[in-house]
Amino acid sequence: MDNYNLVEALVSHMSDITKEQLLLYAQMANLVNVILQWPEINIKEIAENFSKFACNAHTICDSELRPLGTGLYPVISIINHSCLPNSVLVFEGRSASVRAVQHVPKGSEVLISYIETAGSTMTRQKALKEQYLFNCTCPRCSKLLVLKGQYDDIRESAILEGYRCKNEKCDGFLLRTTDGKGFQCQQCGLVREKEEIKKTATEIKSLSEEEASKLSSAGYYQEAISIYKMIEKLQTKLYHPFSINLMRTREKILKSLMELEHWSEALAYCKLTIPVYQSAYPAIHPLLGLQYYTCGKLEWYLGETEEAVKSLTKAVDILRITHGTNTHFVTELLMKLEEARAEASYKSSSKE
């Protein structure tokens, strides 16, 4: 209660939400009133607090960014969003920390990202509007970008969310043709017909990703992998090799393989995702660091000690910045790296 005045100051966006959402908050507030039965309770204030929570709260994650719950941190809620953030929000238990991932000059604004930044400007704008009820005007989203910036954004969107070239050896990105009947590769010029793309997309939809997710949640990992691999096969034909959709399917396969302790195949899938992480995220990003960490652990377990040292070193270089060197998680990671280095040195001297 000592900082409730900070909660009062947060924006509720009550005038921007839909009638359905407004009704839901009113019903929730009324339920609170029925439970508490306080004589001077303010139902409108409670409804506003539910709305404040929805557009100001943060997902509390563990050190490996697995979601644990949701919390309202009034001071952190004041920090603005950018799709090119200079800081990240991380948690240790219930404690939240904002850590700079690059030099922030004196007088500059501290900025974090409220959403997953890997995606096109349209995808990011949609997510921010739906969840946080604002239009982003950060440099990455701004329509005032110079022509080169616009081209880079179009290229990035076409790679992350677009289609692959008909020529399997070509890694060019595709843009819609002027007649709207297909998509042309910007590298080799080959055109993919719209109908052919639609057919493959329909085939992917017919395979139930929801069913695979349910199987995985229920512990039927092998059955889930079978469905995900069929989806992956079609996505490989449809999407650019650095597609976010393809990467996420491979991540799901990776997690299920690790549950089944199929370490060699899990490592192969982990290595497939890393180039996409490198393309989709900045050089200092917790998700990239964690993927190097997973790769390093798998390599070490499989006896690929020298490769493990390389991967764990890359993980440390990122995660000591994003998580801080004093956290339990990074301390353990540094110990793992030292053990892997000692083992690699022993193996090297034994060969000599």
Side-chain angles (χ1 to χ4, degrees), residues 4 14 25-34 36 38 40-53:
Y4 183 67
M14 288 291 276
Y25 292 149
Q27 290 170 336
M28 290 161 72
N30 191 53
L31 180 59
V32 170
N33 182 33
V34 170
L36 296 178
W38 290 350
E40 295 180 6
I41 201 162
N42 186 330
I43 291 180
K44 185 183 177 185
E45 184 184 356
I46 297 170
E48 282 189 2
N49 279 346
F50 279 122
S51 187
K52 284 177 183 179
F53 193 86

Side-chain angles (χ1 to χ4, degrees), residues 32 60 63 240 250:
V32 170
I60 301 169
S63 297
H240 191 278
R250 285 174 170 165

Side-chain angles (χ1 to χ4, degrees), residues 22 124 159 281:
L22 196 61
R124 296 193 313 275
I159 289 171
Y281 298 107

Side-chain angles (χ1 to χ4, degrees), residues 12-118:
S12 67
H13 287 291
M14 288 291 276
S15 59
D16 300 322
I17 60 176
T18 63
K19 287 181 181 177
E20 291 78 13
Q21 198 66 48
L22 196 61
L23 179 62
L24 177 63
Y25 292 149
Q27 290 170 336
M28 290 161 72
N30 191 53
L31 180 59
V32 170
N33 182 33
V34 170
I35 294 167
L36 296 178
Q37 294 186 345
W38 290 350
E40 295 180 6
I41 201 162
N42 186 330
I43 291 180
K44 185 183 177 185
E45 184 184 356
I46 297 170
E48 282 189 2
N49 279 346
F50 279 122
S51 187
K52 284 177 183 179
F53 193 86
C55 55
N56 287 286
H58 293 92
T59 301
I60 301 169
C61 299
D62 64 11
S63 297
E64 297 189 45
L65 301 189
R66 291 178 294 234
L68 300 173
T70 307
L72 186 61
Y73 296 79
V75 175
I76 290 171
S77 294
I78 295 167
I79 300 172
N80 281 327
H81 162 87
S82 174
C83 296
L84 286 171
N86 54 26
S87 306
V88 291
L89 174 62
V90 291
F91 294 87
E92 189 164 22
R94 291 185 179 189
S95 297
S97 299
V98 176
R99 300 188 57 83
V101 293
Q102 62 192 57
H103 175 64
V104 183
K106 185 178 179 180
S108 297
E109 186 176 5
V110 173
L111 299 162
I112 59 173
S113 177
Y114 296 176
I115 57 162
E116 164 66 84
T117 55

Side-chain angles (χ1 to χ4, degrees), residues 188-215:
C188 70
L190 285 175
V191 175
R192 286 189 75 172
E193 296 300 321
K194 192 175 176 181
E195 286 304 311
E196 181 242 319
I197 284 173
K198 192 176 176 181
K199 181 175 176 290
T200 309
T202 304
E203 285 180 55
I204 292 170
K205 280 185 181 177
S206 69
L207 295 166
S208 178
E209 194 170 331
E210 188 180 339
E211 179 64 24
S213 180
K214 285 179 183 176
L215 286 166

Side-chain angles (χ1 to χ4, degrees), residues 15 40 73 146 221 267 291 337:
S15 59
E40 295 180 6
Y73 296 79
V146 294
Y221 300 113
L267 176 58
Q291 206 68 354
L337 176 57

Side-chain angles (χ1 to χ4, degrees), residues 172-190:
F173 65 96
L174 275 60
L175 296 179
R176 192 181 292 272
T177 54
T178 49
D179 60 10
K181 293 180 180 179
F183 294 83
Q184 187 170 28
C185 177
Q186 301 304 294
Q187 188 163 300
C188 70
L190 285 175

Side-chain angles (χ1 to χ4, degrees), residues 63-64 66 258 267 270 274 286-300 308 310-316 318-319 323 328-334 336-337:
S63 297
E64 297 189 45
R66 291 178 294 234
M258 290 180 75
L267 176 58
C270 191
I274 282 179
L287 286 173
L288 177 59
L290 289 167
Q291 206 68 354
Y292 281 132
Y293 181 41
T294 301
C295 192
K297 285 192 292 185
L298 288 167
E299 287 165 336
W300 193 13
K310 291 176 187 175
S311 296
L312 291 173
T313 300
K314 288 176 181 176
V316 166
I318 295 169
L319 298 175
H323 286 57
H328 178 68
F329 173 68
V330 174
T331 303
E332 281 198 340
L333 172 54
L334 286 164
K336 278 188 174 73
L337 176 57

